[in-house]
Structure formats: structure tokens, C-alpha cells
Amino acid sequence: NAGVTQTPKFRVLKTGQSMTLLCAQDMNHEYMYWYRQDPGMGLRLIHYSVGEGTTAKGEVPDGYNVSRLKKQNFLLGLESAAPSQTSVYFCASSYGMTYEQFFGPGTRLTVL
Amino acid sequence: SQQGEEDPQALSIQEGENATMNCSYKTSINNLQWYRQNSGRGLVHLILIRSNEREKHSGRLRVTLDTSKKSSSLLITASRAADTASYFCATDVHSFSSGSARQLTFGSGTQLTVLP
């Protein structure tokens, strides 16, 4: 089992550009999450999904959109990147909202 | 401030010593979890303790929970250089941003350095 994988691992964008981060899990988890981690801080929840076709806002959703067309995939989109979105993005999945979460390796995004 | 806050922010010890990290939180919880993050990697789940439990062990890890003080501690015994990492506590809280569903909220972590 690969667990949770994220694509790409690194990306540099210019302000105003768009991109999509892909997360895939092979554990048949219903719940999937996107977090961002900034230096010296814990993880902050951006968006999450409780099942295929559903998404919901987390703590810091502004500037991001998500889609969950297939149970195993959760996409995070940035329509118009801003320097404030420079961060490390982690995807995670779990059986339930407050169960153990399994994390991907992260995507380091820099917006110039 | 965040729901879960770890203390200390940084801890440096010698190999073989014990390391203790603390987590304090504000609101009632159903469970509290501890995660480890090695530099440049994702978080890895270590242990989950439920609100009706006081202590839990897993290998060299010992977690305690005191709901009256709203605090938890993570003890790593006989530390090794490979234990060098950041350690985060996560608590499940009601969140209005998630429609009042409970979600995990992470603290800002303790950076543990184990010197060989």
C-alpha cells in the first residue's frame, strides 16, 4: 500500500498563476483533508471531505477550492496564487473526523 | 491562541535520557492524539488517548491525560537520536467553520533534539 501520496512535491508559482495539488489514498478512507503548515506553526485545516462528492470549509479556506470526484482522490486548487499562500501543504485521510489521520509527504509551494 | 499548545517549544537532551512534552487545551475533548513529524516529512500518528483514559503506553511512549487540568504529557523513555523530530498534540473540538462537527486541531509543536 502506498498510503497517502501527493503530487507535486515542490512547485514555484508567480503571483496570479493557478495550480492544482493532487492527493491520492489507497486505504478506502471516507474522510480526506488539506492542511497548510507555516514555519513555527501547527497545521491549519483548509478544506475537508467526508465522502465522494462532498467538500466543506475548514479554518482557512479563502483562496482555495477543492474537489472530490473520486473517493480516493482529493484535489486542492489555487485559482490566483498570492505570496501569502507560500507554505507546505499536507493531505491526510482517515476513517472518521477525529480518528487517526494518515498524512502524505507534503507539497512545498512558493509563490513569488 | 490555539486549542492545543505544546510546552516547551524546543527541547534538547542527550541520548538515553527521557523526554517529556506537555500539551494544554481549552475546551472539552473526546480524545487527544500525539503525532511526530521528522524534518521535511508528513506527520505520523503515535498514540490516541480517550477522555475516559488517564494513561496509555506504546513501546517507549507513555501518554497521560488529566481532563481536570486540561493537559496531557508525552514521555519518551531512553531517547535515541532517531527520536529527533517535532511532536504535535491534536485535540478534537467543535468547530463552527465545519458546521459544529468535531475536527482535529493541532498545536504548534515541540521540537525535540536528541544528541548522540
Side-chain angles (χ1 to χ4, degrees):
Chain A
N1 288 350
V4 179
T5 58
Q6 293 183 231
T7 308
K9 289 185 170 52
F10 303 93
R11 187 71 187 267
V12 178
L13 292 178
K14 294 181 180 178
T15 297
Q17 288 184 319
S18 63
M19 77 163 293
T20 300
L21 281 67
L22 172 64
C23 175
Q25 54 96 2
D26 61 2
M27 294 173 282
N28 202 34
H29 286 161
E30 291 291 339
Y31 289 70
M32 295 187 75
Y33 316 84
W34 276 107
Y35 293 92
R36 61 177 288 173
Q37 184 178 36
D38 299 298
M41 299 184 68
L43 277 69
R44 291 185 291 169
L45 184 64
I46 303 171
H47 285 280
Y48 65 97
S49 168
V50 301
E52 181 178 320
T54 73
T55 63
K57 294 180 180 179
E59 180 185 355
V60 289
D62 294 342
Y64 306 95
N65 57 74
V66 288
S67 65
R68 183 112 180 257
L69 299 180
K70 293 182 179 181
K71 185 176 183 178
Q72 64 268 32
N73 295 338
F74 195 28
L75 278 64
L76 177 71
L78 285 73
E79 289 186 348
S80 180
S84 61
Q85 294 177 305
T86 293
S87 188
V88 181
Y89 291 85
F90 289 99
C91 176
S93 69
S94 70
Y95 286 111
M97 192 64 132
T98 58
Y99 284 57
E100 170 189 357
Q101 293 188 10
F102 294 80
F103 283 81
T107 294
R108 187 173 295 275
L109 174 66
T110 301
V111 183
L112 303 176
Chain B
S1 57
Q2 300 184 73
Q3 159 73 345
E5 293 190 6
E6 292 88 347
D7 172 63
Q9 288 187 326
L11 179 62
S12 184
I13 59 174
Q14 295 293 134
E15 207 165 23
E17 294 181 337
N18 295 341
T20 299
M21 288 156 270
N22 302 296
C23 172
S24 59
Y25 58 92
K26 294 182 173 63
T27 62
S28 64
I29 61 172
N30 287 331
N31 69 62
L32 185 146
Q33 302 179 37
W34 284 92
Y35 288 79
R36 182 188 75 231
Q37 183 181 34
N38 291 91
S39 181
R41 311 290 285 271
L43 277 70
V44 174
H45 182 265
L46 294 176
I47 198 163
L48 181 154
I49 186 165
R50 303 193 186 284
S51 59
N52 62 352
E53 297 176 310
R54 292 296 167 259
E55 188 171 311
K56 205 162 183 180
H57 297 255
S58 177
R60 294 185 294 113
L61 305 180
R62 172 178 168 251
V63 169
T64 61
L65 179 63
D66 187 333
T67 54
S68 65
K69 295 181 178 178
K70 292 186 170 59
S71 68
S72 173
S73 66
L74 170 67
L75 168 68
I76 304 175
T77 60
S79 61
R80 305 166 182 168
D83 294 327
T84 294
S86 292
Y87 292 82
F88 296 87
C89 68
T91 51
D92 68 319
V93 297
H94 281 294
S95 171
F96 290 111
S97 66
S98 60
S100 292
R102 298 190 83 91
Q103 68 181 52
L104 280 187
T105 300
F106 290 81
S108 54
T110 292
Q111 173 60 52
L112 172 66
T113 302
V114 180
L115 303 170

